[in-house]
Amino acid sequence: MSEEKDILILAIESSCDETAAAVVKNGRDVLSNVISSQIDLHTLYGGVVPEIASRKHIEKINQVIEEALREAGTALEQIDAVAVTYGPGLVGALLVGVAEAKAIAYAAKKPLVGVHHIEGHIAANFIEHKELKPPFFSLVVSGGHTHLVRVKDYGKFDIIGRTRDDAAGEAFDKVARAIGLGYPGGPKIDRVAKEGDPDAVAFPRAHMEDAPYDFSFSGLKSAVLNYINGCRMKGETYSQADVAASFQKAVTDVLVENAMRAAKEYHMDKFAIAGGVASNTALRAAMEKACEAEGIELYYPSPVYCTDNAAMIGAAAYYEYRNGTRHGWDLNAVPNLKLGER
Ligand code: KG4
Ligand code: ZN
């Protein structure tokens, strides 16, 4: 019996504030995963500054790619395709990765595969769960996105619900800044909330009458701001831990409720969470509990594969490559790329 040839993909990710490169074998085995984070740089400004992000990507990208190839013990000639995130994201940041990937693919005479960033986040689940195959449901919660997605097949998606305003991670970051925790807010709120009471403050949970799977977090963010301003005006102090825990509970309640309702309506017995916020310990615990009660198998990536990385892009790219997706030398950055668009 002839064995199928291994497919090695060099993947590049630069859509936001991480410059990353990875070598992934057959979409599931990560041979290297190098990430150069700009977090310290952007912390000075309380959030990502697009112009600075692009400049830093330029400085780091060659070094990160060289390291990824070296760590994987792979020469460029052994690579089957070069993959890159080409949207959505910050246009200047995306362009750095896209231009680099085109140059490498052209020089090394390798096919070029452009990847959707969210498709990458979802595919992060394939790395550690070798048995996970579509169809399944996914909740993608990151700094820029909150999507409830039906994954019908590799690369085939239906978006069932999305945020109307702020993304879940964005709400974490804004609330963290308001209560003095700084950037990036998600991991800090996660940590501080462990010391707080999630029922201390009754923050609102938004439900959309006309679209039952959509989300809205801007009202919740305003409620937190009003609460802390109210305390300040009355000369009262508030507990940072209680506000963090109550806010986090309000976010996770809505995420879990919509996710479970969708999984049940679509009779889906597998659910995978993805994106930076998928590393939130309260969300994971609440999803575990809800899925167990419904007999649904829950999957989530390790934290390093939840936040932006290139291994997830290599995982998604493998299935795109097998389905015949190839991009030309005119590939451009598409800041508002739609999921499933090629
Ligand atoms: O996926 P990601 O790295 O970038 C985007 O594609 O946006 O997600 C970053 C977001 C940030 O908003 C960050 O605050 C949030 O994920 N995040 C978390 C946690 N770790 C990262 N939010 C809640 N709890 C966490 N433990
Ligand atoms: Zn991301």
Side-chain angles (χ1 to χ4, degrees):
M1 211 171 72
S2 72
E3 294 231 333
E4 264 188 65
K5 180 191 171 296
D6 286 336
I7 302 293
L8 289 179
I9 293 188
L10 169 66
I12 300 169
E13 155 66 43
S14 71
S15 66
C16 191
D17 59 347
E18 262 91 30
T19 320
V23 178
V24 180
K25 186 169 91 178
N26 300 332
R28 304 264 175 171
D29 294 326
V30 177
L31 305 189
S32 64
N33 185 33
V34 180
I35 305 169
S36 167
S37 175
Q38 306 176 358
I39 281 182
D40 294 347
L41 208 64
H42 298 290
T43 301
L44 283 170
Y45 306 95
V48 178
V49 184
E51 170 74 16
I52 295 177
S54 314
R55 287 168 182 267
K56 211 64 202 170
H57 285 312
I58 298 257
E59 278 175 38
K60 291 284 176 187
I61 198 151
N62 283 312
Q63 187 187 323
V64 164
I65 292 169
E66 270 177 23
E67 215 174 305
L69 288 168
R70 192 173 347 106
E71 250 182 50
T74 311
L76 202 48
E77 301 77 64
Q78 296 169 274
I79 294 287
D80 293 281
V82 180
V84 64
T85 306
Y86 72 110
L90 302 169
V91 68
L94 288 164
L95 273 172
V96 176
V98 169
E100 179 83 14
K102 286 202 282 191
I104 294 176
Y106 183 78
K109 298 188 173 62
K110 303 290 179 187
L112 177 69
V113 180
V115 175
H116 191 288
H117 184 73
I118 298 298
E119 187 172 344
H121 272 303
I122 295 171
N125 279 285
F126 297 143
I127 296 168
E128 293 158 299
H129 306 295
K130 311 289 182 210
E131 75 286 9
L132 177 63
K133 292 185 173 73
F136 58 88
F137 239 94
S138 186
L139 172 71
V140 186
V141 269
S142 72
H145 308 273
T146 307
H147 283 3
L148 206 43
V149 183
R150 185 153 71 116
V151 183
K152 296 181 288 187
D153 203 342
Y154 293 110
K156 293 209 168 57
F157 312 97
D158 277 340
I159 298 176
I160 307 296
R162 63 174 81 223
T163 182
R164 297 281 181 90
D165 37 61
D166 291 352
E170 193 180 352
F172 269 94
D173 293 335
K174 287 176 177 170
V175 165
R177 181 152 29 151
I179 62 174
L181 288 173
Y183 174 85
K188 291 185 174 162
I189 289 195
D190 195 346
R191 196 165 346 106
V192 170
K194 291 190 184 8
E195 314 296 324
D197 173 6
D199 299 315
V201 193
F203 289 131
R205 276 93 169 134
H207 296 282
M208 270 7 90
E209 291 298 330
D210 55 333
Y213 302 119
D214 276 2
F215 304 94
S216 167
F217 296 110
S218 70
L220 168 61
K221 174 192 65 191
S222 301
V224 175
L225 295 178
N226 287 341
Y227 175 79
I228 57 177
N229 286 336
C231 290
R232 280 191 192 125
M233 273 170 9
K234 285 184 270 178
E236 293 169 3
T237 55
Y238 64 87
S239 155
Q240 203 184 37
D242 282 351
V243 172
S246 302
F247 158 77
Q248 180 171 269
K249 182 80 178 359
V251 174
T252 53
D253 276 357
V254 183
L255 291 174
V256 174
E257 197 186 311
N258 287 10
M260 297 314 291
R261 207 160 2 90
K264 274 195 276 180
E265 186 179 320
Y266 289 89
H267 307 289
M268 207 62 94
D269 59 359
K270 288 180 280 181
F271 204 106
I273 52 175
V277 185
S279 55
N280 183 268
T281 50
L283 176 63
R284 287 176 181 230
M287 281 298 290
E288 290 268 18
K289 197 171 156 203
C291 284
E292 202 182 317
E294 297 296 336
I296 294 172
E297 195 73 38
L298 178 70
Y299 301 87
Y300 46 77
S302 293
V304 68
Y305 296 128
C306 283
T307 45
D308 288 350
N309 65 88
M312 69 184 197
I313 302 303
Y318 169 75
Y319 295 100
E320 289 293 337
Y321 177 86
R322 283 192 33 169
N323 285 342
T325 303
R326 302 287 185 274
H327 285 92
W329 306 130
D330 59 348
L331 180 69
N332 206 342
V334 184
N336 56 355
L337 185 67
K338 304 277 171 296
L339 187 61
E341 215 174 90
R342 277 167 193 94

